[in-house]
Amino acid sequence: MADLVERAGFEVHVPEGQTCCGQPWFNTGYRKETLAFASRFLEIFRRGGVRCIVSPSGSCVSMVRSTTRIGSAPANRQRLERVGPRLLEFTEFMALHGSGLRFKPGGPRKVYYHPSCH
């Protein structure tokens, strides 16, 4: 994923200390634990200086974008306003920014496509 993002003309930066958004805890009913993970995730990624935040997981993107899941705390709502619009699932990112990619010549090749469970 990082290679393709770079080939699309973007510099990839992986922030230190990044963690899970809390979705596994949310899905299993641990709301308090969810908010702790979500708050940390939003704090790390709220910082400016990047155009996009790209994730390979549609489920994680949906989790973070949902104010009803992680935006209940006032601080999280403010962070979510900064993070949400920049957060893209990888295929969303490529659809928006990957049009300039050129692949090896040789004509069309057959590939399998497996859509994500999300």
Side-chain angles (χ1 to χ4, degrees):
M1 183 183 91
D3 289 342
L4 288 174
V5 169
E6 287 176 344
R7 286 180 63 188
F10 289 78
E11 179 183 342
V12 175
H13 174 72
V14 180
E16 284 189 39
Q18 67 174 298
T19 60
C20 175
C21 67
Q23 183 185 26
W25 290 267
F26 180 84
N27 291 346
T28 54
Y30 293 93
R31 301 303 192 254
K32 183 178 174 184
E33 292 80 0
T34 298
L35 289 177
F37 277 95
S39 294
R40 179 166 168 76
F41 179 94
L42 291 172
E43 179 59 27
I44 289 168
F45 286 102
R46 76 165 174 78
R47 300 174 190 132
V50 297
R51 183 171 170 189
C52 299
I53 302 163
V54 182
S55 172
S57 170
S59 297
C60 292
V61 170
S62 177
M63 174 70 184
V64 174
R65 285 181 178 167
S66 175
T67 57
T68 58
R69 295 179 184 166
I70 66 172
S72 58
N76 278 358
R77 276 194 298 262
Q78 293 171 346
R79 293 174 185 144
L80 194 56
E81 288 174 8
R82 293 183 57 110
V83 172
R86 295 182 294 142
L87 182 61
L88 300 171
E89 190 273 332
F90 176 64
T91 58
E92 265 184 309
F93 174 85
M94 293 307 292
L96 292 170
H97 303 290
S99 63
L101 288 177
R102 300 290 175 251
F103 295 94
K104 293 180 182 178
R109 296 184 181 120
K110 185 184 253 185
V111 298
Y112 286 113
Y113 170 71
H114 173 65
S116 70
C117 297
H118 178 78

